[in-house]
Amino acid sequence: MKCRETLDLLAGYRNKTLRAPLMNGVREHLGSCEKCRMEFEAYERTVSAIVSGIGEIEPSPDYMERFAAKVATGAAQKQRGKSLESSQIIGKFGDLLDSIFGALSPQPVRFAFAAALFLFLGLSALFVSKLNEKEGEDEELFETIVVAQVALNADMLEELELMENLEGLENMELVENLEEYLN
Amino acid sequence: MIDDDANAMLAFVNGDGKSFEGLMKKYYKRILNFIYRFTFNRELSEDLTQEVFLKLYSAKDGYRASAKFSTFLYRIAANHCLNELRRGEYGVKTVPINKDDRDGTGRILELRDEKARNPQEIVEAMCSSEVISSALSSLPERQKMAFILCEFEGFSYGEIAGIMRTSESSVKSLLNRCRRSLVEKLGPLVKGGAL
């Protein structure tokens, strides 16, 4: 192992997480290279000083309760947000229906309007499903055209290659004729 | 192979709240200290640790036990820590190391021109943990993150690469530059017995 590679691996060698062949490689190199060994010793002293100098802190005694309170608050806010949102939507839809039906004051007119709305929604759903079926058929047709186009292009390529070869053959003939003429 | 902690997380995903409590008891102090070594601010570390576990709690719907659980959790913690500190809300300030240049709070936050003064003089003016935190604070954040994950948390290069979403060769390079920088800054103090 070379110095550069060894120096790149000193941290992993110190915390003993390198794979066995690399651990052995670094160990062997440090045994034979004084410069790298001094680098490693300086690093080890520095890290030991850092680790002991910083120490550890303890969690506050109520960390679990604080966390539970945050989860509860978050859940409550989420729930409140959801119910507010859905109640607002329902409220707005209700307002819309109120304004429409409010304008149609006689009872039979209201029934007729509701029936017309129902019929309109049903027909719309039927129309959309038919449209999707047609789109599916169009997609199949499109795929067939693409496949045919690709096949056609492949044929054209083959023809092109053949023509290029023919040109080559013609040139060969020209050279042979020239040679015969010269001879 | 799925580790025990990943299994506990999967149990939580399936509705076992006690499993989450177990994971929190096991990892809370580790994550708290991981963040503390990055920020050197106790209150901030507590807040960020709570937020990390809230993120873990909310991650249950999309959780896949594809990586080691500790790698997954430290990835959340590292991302959250870096993002929050980059946002500047919790900005960690730095001030010069010279005795006369303290910022009035008594906090010494940057090593500067350490060769110009006798190490003994510098150490007289401040406690060793402040010198160390200053040296670590002066590192680029990704070098510092890799160093903490390697030397304090005991992760391998491959695991650090997974947590920091980078390659193993980048981790080697980050740690090598960090090593040179720390030895340059703290080496004379350590050798002189000041730390």
Side-chain angles (χ1 to χ4, degrees):
Chain A
M1 192 176 279
K2 289 181 181 171
C3 292
R4 191 187 159 86
E5 196 184 348
T6 304
L7 293 176
D8 266 354
L9 297 172
L10 286 185
Y13 179 73
R14 208 200 85 84
N15 82 354
K16 298 180 179 66
T17 53
L18 294 180
R19 285 180 282 273
L22 288 177
M23 282 297 280
N24 293 335
V26 174
R27 192 180 301 113
E28 277 172 22
H29 184 86
L30 293 180
S32 62
C33 176
E34 197 187 344
K35 196 171 169 243
C36 287
R37 189 167 61 247
M38 282 172 71
E39 290 265 4
F40 176 67
E41 285 168 2
Y43 180 60
E44 194 163 45
R45 279 196 302 270
T46 305
V47 173
S48 300
I50 291 171
V51 171
S52 61
I54 291 180
E56 273 193 342
I57 58 169
E58 290 296 321
S60 58
D62 63 339
Y63 79 92
M64 210 55 125
E65 289 77 15
R66 277 174 60 202
F67 180 77
K70 279 181 185 171
V71 170
T73 311
Q77 277 175 353
K78 210 172 169 183
Q79 192 58 41
R80 207 165 40 245
K82 261 186 188 174
S83 51
L84 198 68
E85 208 174 274
S86 52
S87 68
Q88 276 172 348
I89 291 168
I90 291 166
K92 279 187 181 171
F93 189 65
D95 289 346
L96 182 72
L97 286 179
D98 278 351
S99 62
I100 293 167
F101 280 94
L104 308 168
S105 47
Q107 193 78 1
V109 179
R110 285 185 192 184
F111 279 128
F113 183 79
L117 188 67
F118 185 72
L119 195 66
F120 172 74
L121 289 173
L123 286 173
S124 300
L126 196 68
F127 178 73
V128 168
S129 68
K130 285 283 175 198
L131 205 64
N132 283 342
E133 271 178 30
K134 193 171 182 327
E135 272 176 10
E137 284 168 14
D138 287 350
E139 273 173 20
E140 276 176 27
L141 185 66
F142 178 71
E143 273 175 24
T144 316
I145 290 168
V146 168
V147 169
Q149 191 66 45
V150 168
L152 194 66
N153 287 344
D155 285 348
M156 281 170 72
L157 271 174
E158 271 178 27
E159 278 172 19
L160 198 67
E161 276 173 21
L162 199 63
M163 278 164 71
E164 276 173 1
N165 289 338
L166 281 173
E167 268 178 27
L169 286 172
E170 276 170 16
N171 290 341
M172 283 295 288
E173 273 175 30
L174 198 68
V175 171
E176 278 167 12
N177 291 342
L178 196 65
E179 277 174 355
E180 270 176 28
Y181 175 75
L182 287 173
N183 289 334
Chain B
M1 194 179 143
I2 300 173
D3 59 75
D4 290 348
D5 297 330
N7 273 327
M9 185 65 192
L10 285 174
F12 167 61
V13 170
N14 292 321
D16 180 8
K18 283 277 172 201
S19 296
F20 188 84
E21 206 181 309
L23 286 172
M24 214 169 150
K25 279 179 182 163
K26 182 172 176 181
Y27 283 101
Y28 194 89
K29 189 178 166 183
R30 277 177 68 179
I31 296 295
L32 174 69
N33 277 285
F34 166 65
I35 295 174
Y36 176 69
R37 282 158 194 152
F38 201 79
T39 62
F40 294 110
N41 179 326
R42 195 197 161 93
E43 200 180 328
L44 169 62
S45 305
E46 285 269 8
D47 288 346
L48 292 179
T49 306
Q50 290 269 323
E51 288 163 16
V52 166
F53 279 91
L54 277 171
K55 278 183 178 259
L56 179 67
Y57 189 91
S58 330
K60 70 174 179 180
D61 292 334
Y63 180 70
R64 304 266 181 283
S66 54
K68 221 170 124 182
F69 176 79
S70 59
T71 310
F72 174 73
L73 178 59
Y74 273 87
R75 189 183 296 156
I76 295 176
N79 274 342
H80 189 59
C81 208
L82 289 173
N83 288 341
E84 289 302 311
L85 294 177
R86 279 175 194 160
R87 261 175 32 178
E89 198 179 319
Y90 302 116
V92 178
K93 287 184 283 183
T94 60
V95 297
I97 197 168
N98 288 347
K99 202 161 118 183
D100 302 334
D101 291 343
R102 287 182 179 230
D103 66 350
T105 62
R107 191 161 174 214
I108 298 121
L109 302 149
E110 185 185 318
L111 277 177
R112 192 180 67 181
D113 200 15
E114 59 265 48
K115 284 175 191 159
R117 291 168 67 114
N118 181 331
Q120 196 62 39
E121 277 179 45
I122 299 171
V123 173
E124 276 173 10
M126 60 199 75
C127 70
S128 63
S129 66
E130 280 183 320
V131 176
I132 290 164
S133 63
S134 301
L136 283 177
S137 297
S138 70
L139 292 172
E141 58 186 27
R142 287 177 67 77
Q143 278 186 34
K144 185 162 62 163
M145 184 65 78
F147 176 77
I148 294 168
L149 288 167
C150 179
E151 298 297 353
F152 285 91
E153 307 302 325
F155 285 113
S156 68
Y157 290 168
E159 288 168 327
I160 296 169
I163 291 167
M164 294 179 68
R165 291 186 185 278
T166 187
S167 64
E168 272 195 53
S169 57
S170 294
V171 172
K172 280 181 199 169
S173 167
L174 283 172
L175 286 169
N176 195 23
R177 276 182 279 146
C178 174
R179 177 187 63 78
R180 285 206 304 264
S181 181
L182 287 176
V183 170
E184 190 187 330
K185 282 175 178 156
L186 298 174
L189 299 174
V190 175
K191 209 170 182 180
L195 290 177

